[in-house]
């Protein structure tokens, strides 16, 4: 019986060495499982710290999650830290490639900052509960009227509680090597609250992570924090041009840092 238990333990290192598909599924499963375990640890800590739902709980989540990158063989290079030293509330916008974005988000998450996320996330077991405890704002993407009312309430909360909100304006995960057109919710939010927008750009994951090809290697992710974009004096009429300006700036940065990462590490063969 002992020998039978030893077989899987011996097979795992062998498969990790010889099968990129096995590595992909092993890392993905480990990532999901470990994040759920960390959420389970964080839940009582957050309740003890704040008594329930509170944006200050994101400090606990940030502390617990920051080590996960090492297990997955990932490294972050961050530039533009000074742009996050802005006082008061603001809206952070970033591109969205996969669930791994959470690791980069936690790498630079400022104090009193939480996220806007799809409503379905709240049903994701312990992770959903910790998201709720961390003050994450949930929106129903299928109902535009609901999303708009949530955004309006979020704008009021930003000013009343002096918080920051992180939004993925592409609206969905995208690993196509470019940015998807931005949805305008984040820009309506910033204009309504009259707070600045701070764009954050993740380099392409294609040099280490290819979902369709089932490849997940070690790699470097470059995070570039761009200068803030002011919205004071803007109205809803300016939202489209603000959205376009932000998209152009982020796309230029994305292509630039993605090319530099690929040249440093080499492309991941398809």
């Amino acid at each position: 019986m002992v020998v039978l238990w030893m077989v899987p333990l011996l097979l795992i290192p062998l498969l990790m060495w010889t099968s990129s598909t096995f590595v992909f599924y092993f890392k993905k499963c480990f990532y999901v499982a470990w994040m759920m375990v960390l959420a389970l640890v964080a839940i009582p800590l957050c309740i003890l710290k704040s008594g329930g739902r509170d944006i200050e709980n994101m400090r606990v989540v940030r502390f617990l999650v920051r080590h996960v990158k090492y297990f997955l063989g990932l490294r972050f290079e961050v530039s533009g830290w000074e742009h996050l030293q802005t006082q008061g509330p603001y809206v952070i916008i970033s591109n969205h490639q996969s669930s791994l974005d959470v690791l980069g988000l936690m790498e630079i998450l400022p104090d009193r900052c939480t996220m806007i996320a799809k409503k379905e996330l709240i049903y994701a077991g312990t992770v959903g509960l910790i998201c709720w405890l961390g003050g994450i704002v949930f929106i129903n993407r299928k109902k535009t009227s609901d999303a708009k009312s949530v955004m309006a309430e979020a704008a009021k909360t930003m000013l009343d509680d002096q918080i920051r909100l992180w939004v993925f304006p592409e609206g969905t995960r995208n690993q196509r090597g470019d940015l998807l057109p931005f949805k305008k919710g984040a820009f309506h939010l910033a204009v309504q609250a009259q707070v600045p927008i701070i764009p954050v750009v993740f380099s392409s994951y294609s040099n280490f992570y290819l979902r369709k090809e089932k490849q997940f290697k070690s790699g470097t992710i470059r995070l570039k924090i761009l200068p803030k974009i002011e919205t004071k004096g803007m109205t809803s009429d300016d939202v489209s041009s603000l959205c376009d300006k932000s998209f152009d700036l982020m796309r230029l940065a994305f292509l630039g840092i993605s090319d530099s990462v690929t040249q440093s590490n080499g492309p991941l063969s398809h």
Side-chain angles (χ1 to χ4, degrees), residues 106-200:
M106 291 300 167
E107 190 77 8
I108 65 169
L109 188 75
D111 290 339
R112 297 199 61 73
C113 182
T114 192
M115 288 136 275
I116 290 180
K118 60 184 180 181
K119 190 177 181 180
E120 293 84 350
L121 186 60
I122 201 170
Y123 304 112
T126 55
V127 171
L129 181 53
I130 200 63
C131 287
W132 182 82
L133 286 169
I136 286 182
V137 178
F138 297 100
I139 61 170
N140 187 344
R141 297 182 299 177
K142 296 176 182 177
K143 290 187 178 180
T144 304
S145 58
D146 288 356
K148 285 183 177 178
S149 64
V150 169
M151 286 294 194
E153 182 64 28
K156 182 177 183 301
T157 303
M158 284 185 74
L159 298 176
D160 290 346
D161 298 342
Q162 292 291 291
I163 67 171
R164 296 84 182 252
L165 285 173
W166 190 305
V167 187
F168 297 104
E170 289 173 290
T172 189
R173 298 174 189 177
N174 163 42
Q175 205 185 359
R176 300 177 186 175
D178 205 342
L179 303 188
L180 294 176
F182 287 173
K183 299 182 185 298
K184 295 178 181 176
F187 307 96
H188 278 292
L189 172 65
V191 168
Q192 191 165 348
Q194 294 287 282
V195 299
I197 291 172
I198 299 181
V200 172

Side-chain angles (χ1 to χ4, degrees), residues 207 222 255-267:
N207 67 306
R222 287 192 175 155
L255 295 175
I257 60 176
S258 298
D259 285 345
S260 65
V261 168
T262 300
Q263 288 170 10
S264 299
N265 298 330

Side-chain angles (χ1 to χ4, degrees), residues 26-215:
F26 182 85
K27 281 188 171 184
K28 288 281 284 184
C29 290
F30 172 82
Y31 177 54
V32 172
W34 190 239
M35 292 295 272
M36 294 187 78
V37 169
L38 291 176
L40 190 62
V41 172
I43 288 166
L45 293 177
C46 289
I47 293 172
L48 287 171
K49 174 181 171 61
S50 306
R53 180 173 166 87
D54 192 313
I55 195 170
E56 288 297 319
N57 288 329
M58 292 306 296
R59 290 173 179 261
V60 176
V61 178
R62 182 178 63 190
F63 173 78
L64 289 174
V65 169
R66 275 187 170 174
H67 74 281
V68 177
K69 62 190 175 187
Y70 301 115
F71 289 135
L72 300 177
L74 301 179
R75 185 167 64 94
F76 288 94
E77 293 180 359
V78 182
S79 61
W81 273 108
E82 66 276 10
H83 302 309
L84 280 182
Q85 307 312 308
T86 302
Q87 298 298 311
Y90 48 78
V91 175
I92 298 176
I93 56 173
S94 71
N95 54 316
H96 189 21
Q97 297 178 76
S98 84
S99 59
L100 295 174
D101 296 343
V102 172
L103 302 182
L105 186 153
M106 291 300 167
E107 190 77 8
I108 65 169
L109 188 75
D111 290 339
R112 297 199 61 73
C113 182
T114 192
M115 288 136 275
I116 290 180
K118 60 184 180 181
K119 190 177 181 180
E120 293 84 350
L121 186 60
I122 201 170
Y123 304 112
T126 55
V127 171
L129 181 53
I130 200 63
C131 287
W132 182 82
L133 286 169
I136 286 182
V137 178
F138 297 100
I139 61 170
N140 187 344
R141 297 182 299 177
K142 296 176 182 177
K143 290 187 178 180
T144 304
S145 58
D146 288 356
K148 285 183 177 178
S149 64
V150 169
M151 286 294 194
E153 182 64 28
K156 182 177 183 301
T157 303
M158 284 185 74
L159 298 176
D160 290 346
D161 298 342
Q162 292 291 291
I163 67 171
R164 296 84 182 252
L165 285 173
W166 190 305
V167 187
F168 297 104
E170 289 173 290
T172 189
R173 298 174 189 177
N174 163 42
Q175 205 185 359
R176 300 177 186 175
D178 205 342
L179 303 188
L180 294 176
F182 287 173
K183 299 182 185 298
K184 295 178 181 176
F187 307 96
H188 278 292
L189 172 65
V191 168
Q192 191 165 348
Q194 294 287 282
V195 299
I197 291 172
I198 299 181
V200 172
V201 184
F202 292 72
S203 62
S204 173
Y205 297 169
S206 61
N207 67 306
F208 68 88
Y209 178 80
L210 293 171
R211 184 170 54 84
K212 289 184 178 179
E213 289 79 4
K214 305 295 184 290
Q215 295 193 51

Side-chain angles (χ1 to χ4, degrees), residues 227-240:
K228 67 181 178 181
I229 302 170
E230 291 288 357
T231 66
K232 284 184 179 177
M234 290 187 179
T235 68
S236 57
D237 294 334
D238 300 304
V239 165
S240 291

